Amino acid sequence: MTEKSEDDKKLRVALRSRTRPKKPSGVTNTLTFAWRALLKLKYVPEQLLDVTVFPIMFLLMFTYLFGGAIAGSTGDYLQFLLPGILAMTVVTITMYTGMELNNDITKGIFDRFRSLPIWRPAVLVGALLMDAVRYTIASTIMIVLGLIMGFRPEGGALGVLLAVALLVVFSFSLSWIWTTLGLILRTEKSLMGVSMMVLFPLTFVSNVFVDPSTLPRWLEAFVDVNPISLLVTAVRGLMHGTVTFEQVGWVLLASILLTAIFAPLTMYLYRNKS
């Protein structure tokens, strides 16, 4: 009995004297969830198909199918097309952030995250950071393939890097729309349907494939104010060395507005999700 009491006493002393680990910072939380999203690629490598195989297919098909008819030669059309296809591909895959969030909600993982003593936005920001990596991978693949096919950016390496950086910034801000919808819509398929209904006309009715001046006036008016067209114009200008501050400014302004509207809305819905 005495030995048991002595053991209990030692146990209580050990428990009382143990120092608690420091609470992780918001940066640590965010990087942890970004790493979690990255680890998913290890077990489900098929997720990389949308940033590897599909961009290659798009660039090859549109260049060699329509290049001769639209620009007279595939080489000339490639110089015009690649920045647009690059923007189109990266913008299209922004919806996967919302789909992953919706999937976590459906499986119940979302409730577990809300019960943890962590910085609340870390779950969302971490996933968005991982998506920025996906955007960079897609951009790298497209540019390397384009160089092999004959793409020659007159803006040099710096112009290409700035174009990719601008594209990642815009796509990061656009992803907040899909995280908002991911918290509202009930199923992953619903989110995909809504996102494609929005992205399909925005990307195809733009200056990705053709010069807007060749379109009917009423359609050209829409294309000129289409945010995807503004993005493509800036990316194309950076790559070819013809960009203006106004073109980049419009893209940055759109990115700030999207983030300012949908990031707080996403966090509000995230905190009040039951």
Side-chain angles (χ1 to χ4, degrees):
M1 186 69 176
T2 305
E3 291 180 0
K4 185 177 180 179
S5 300
E6 189 66 24
D7 290 339
D8 290 342
K9 182 178 179 181
K10 291 180 180 179
L11 180 60
R12 286 194 295 270
V13 171
L15 291 174
R16 285 197 301 267
S17 62
R18 188 184 67 176
T19 57
R20 290 180 174 272
K22 294 182 179 180
K23 185 177 180 180
S25 65
V27 175
T28 303
N29 291 152
T30 301
L31 294 177
T32 299
F33 281 100
W35 180 248
R36 169 184 177 261
L38 184 62
L39 286 177
K40 288 184 178 181
L41 298 179
K42 177 181 179 180
Y43 300 102
V44 191
E46 294 83 2
Q47 294 184 19
L48 284 176
L49 288 177
D50 57 347
V51 298
T52 54
V53 178
F54 292 150
I56 294 174
M57 291 174 57
F58 270 125
L59 186 60
L60 291 175
M61 285 192 303
F62 281 101
T63 299
Y64 293 114
L65 284 176
F66 305 115
I70 296 177
S73 71
T74 56
D76 291 339
Y77 190 53
L78 178 64
Q79 312 307 316
F80 177 85
L81 178 67
L82 188 139
I85 285 286
L86 175 61
M88 174 183 172
T89 302
V90 175
V91 165
T92 302
I93 63 178
T94 58
M95 64 180 176
Y96 288 98
T97 306
M99 291 174 63
E100 287 294 330
L101 176 60
N102 187 275
N103 194 31
D104 285 342
I105 294 173
T106 304
K107 292 183 177 180
I109 303 175
F110 171 84
D111 295 326
R112 172 58 179 159
F113 289 158
R114 292 181 72 238
S115 67
L116 296 175
I118 58 175
W119 184 53
R120 285 293 179 84
V123 179
L124 302 175
V125 178
L128 290 171
L129 285 179
M130 175 53 204
D131 279 341
V133 175
R134 289 158 60 91
Y135 307 150
T136 306
I137 293 174
S139 301
T140 303
I141 292 173
M142 294 279 292
I143 292 170
V144 170
L145 178 60
L147 292 173
I148 294 174
M149 293 170 61
F151 178 69
R152 296 297 179 263
E154 297 178 7
L158 179 60
V160 172
L161 291 176
L162 291 175
V164 172
L166 183 66
L167 180 57
V168 171
V169 169
F170 180 83
S171 300
F172 181 86
S173 63
L174 187 64
S175 296
W176 285 107
I177 297 178
W178 314 127
T179 56
T180 300
L181 293 177
L183 291 165
I184 296 174
L185 299 177
R186 296 183 179 181
T187 65
E188 183 179 343
K189 291 182 179 179
S190 300
L191 177 58
M192 177 176 288
V194 171
S195 60
M196 290 307 298
M197 185 173 62
V198 174
L199 290 175
F200 189 83
L202 285 179
T203 52
F204 278 89
V205 188
S206 67
N207 61 353
V208 170
F209 304 103
V210 296
D211 188 338
S213 62
T214 62
L215 301 174
R217 288 186 178 275
W218 61 269
L219 187 57
E220 181 183 357
F222 171 78
V223 171
D224 287 340
V225 297
N226 183 346
I228 303 301
S229 295
L230 298 177
L231 174 65
V232 172
T233 299
V235 170
R236 191 173 281 145
L238 285 168
M239 286 188 170
H240 291 304
T242 59
V243 73
T244 64
F245 287 107
E246 181 182 3
Q247 292 170 347
V248 175
W250 279 117
V251 177
L252 293 177
L253 178 61
S255 301
I256 293 172
L257 289 176
L258 286 174
T259 304
I261 294 172
F262 289 99
L265 182 58
T266 297
M267 292 312 305
Y268 172 79
L269 295 171
Y270 181 71
R271 286 192 298 266
N272 293 278
K273 185 71 176 178
S274 60

